[in-house]
Amino acid sequence: DAGVTQSPTHLIKTRGQHVTLRCSPISGHKSVSWYQQVLGQGPQFIFQYYEKEERGRGNFPDRFSARQFPNYSSELNVNALLLGDSALYLCASSWGQGNQPQHFGDGTRLSIL
Amino acid sequence: GNSVTQMEGPVTLSEEAFLTINCTYTATGYPSLFWYVQYPGEGLQLLLKATKADDKGSNKGFEATYRKETTSFHLEKGSVQVSDSAVYFCALSLAGGTSYGKLTFGQGTILTVHP
């Protein structure tokens, strides 16, 4: 079975641009979460979606937004990119919205010039 | 707030040495605890978990016991291999409230194992 897949794997943008990152969860998983991992640090929670509704939001500015589609895939959008947005963006899926283990994709490496 | 603190790294060991990576947590409520491993260029893989006090999680020779009295979840392995070289993250999640399902991670510990 396919794991969590993310696209693209790498992306280079300039300040002020916007970006869309995509995630397909493991088949049967209904919850998708997004995390930002800055080099040398642990991942920081951005959003959780379950059954197409936002169920949790981390301490990130409104430039960050996300949505979940009927097939449970998800997009993360970031507007007005800043240098500090350079990071590995990780998507994780789980069957439900509770404390089930989350399964991570390999991430999208976003570099801002 | 909720937080996870891991021992300072990096940790460098010889093959077949004993490994301990310390992890302590602060949480309001009763968290589930996890260890994740990240190999270079990859995402995080779940290594083991424990959902209540005194539970022991184990996988691939790694073990960790949920100690409520010391709020700890230390990772151990009796004999490490070169292939265990990676970054290890301790994490917690809480049921209920606005933190529901959110993973809170420690800063990670880099492990390097030499032949």
Side-chain angles (χ1 to χ4, degrees):
Chain A
D1 285 343
V4 177
T5 57
Q6 293 186 243
S7 63
T9 55
H10 295 87
L11 202 51
I12 299 174
K13 292 286 188 178
T14 57
R15 283 176 295 175
Q17 288 188 309
H18 85 276
V19 67
T20 298
L21 310 181
R22 295 178 175 82
C23 172
S24 293
I26 292 171
S27 178
H29 283 191
K30 300 180 179 181
S31 175
V32 169
S33 298
W34 288 94
Y35 293 83
Q36 180 196 65
Q37 186 180 18
V38 173
L39 194 63
Q41 298 182 20
Q44 297 292 315
F45 174 76
I46 310 175
F47 288 109
Q48 184 188 48
Y49 276 76
Y50 176 71
E51 289 286 11
K52 302 178 289 293
E53 291 188 8
E54 182 183 303
R55 299 303 179 106
R57 173 184 285 256
N59 189 26
F60 280 79
D62 291 344
R63 299 185 295 108
F64 289 76
S65 63
R67 54 179 175 168
Q68 187 177 33
F69 299 99
N71 67 353
Y72 302 108
S73 66
S74 178
E75 287 182 350
L76 175 70
N77 295 283
V78 187
N79 293 325
L81 288 166
L82 303 174
L83 292 178
D85 295 331
S86 295
L88 179 67
Y89 288 84
L90 295 164
C91 173
S93 75
S94 59
W95 182 83
Q97 66 169 346
N99 280 338
Q100 297 92 353
Q102 296 184 25
H103 301 267
F104 285 80
D106 286 341
T108 294
R109 174 71 63 185
L110 176 62
S111 299
I112 311 301
L113 303 180
Chain B
N2 305 316
S3 65
V4 175
T5 301
Q6 292 182 230
M7 66 183 290
E8 294 288 331
V11 175
T12 302
L13 296 172
S14 298
E15 206 166 23
E16 299 184 2
F18 184 86
L19 169 70
T20 300
I21 300 178
N22 289 340
C23 170
T24 57
Y25 67 89
T26 301
T28 53
Y30 302 97
S32 294
L33 301 174
F34 306 86
W35 277 100
Y36 281 85
V37 58
Q38 186 173 35
Y39 297 100
E42 298 183 10
L44 278 70
Q45 298 177 23
L46 177 65
L47 184 57
L48 53 83
K49 67 179 175 71
T51 58
K52 61 183 186 298
D54 300 324
D55 268 1
K56 176 185 284 189
S58 62
N59 185 26
K60 300 180 181 179
F62 291 90
E63 293 183 340
T65 301
Y66 189 142
R67 300 289 188 196
K68 183 180 177 184
E69 63 275 14
T70 55
T71 62
S72 65
F73 192 54
H74 304 322
L75 182 69
E76 297 182 336
K77 187 176 185 182
S79 176
V80 293
Q81 306 299 313
V82 172
S83 58
D84 293 327
S85 298
V87 183
Y88 292 80
F89 292 95
C90 184
L92 67 82
S93 70
L94 283 161
T98 58
S99 299
Y100 204 31
K102 162 191 170 184
L103 282 168
T104 298
F105 287 89
Q107 71 271 32
T109 301
I110 300 172
L111 171 65
T112 304
V113 180
H114 293 297

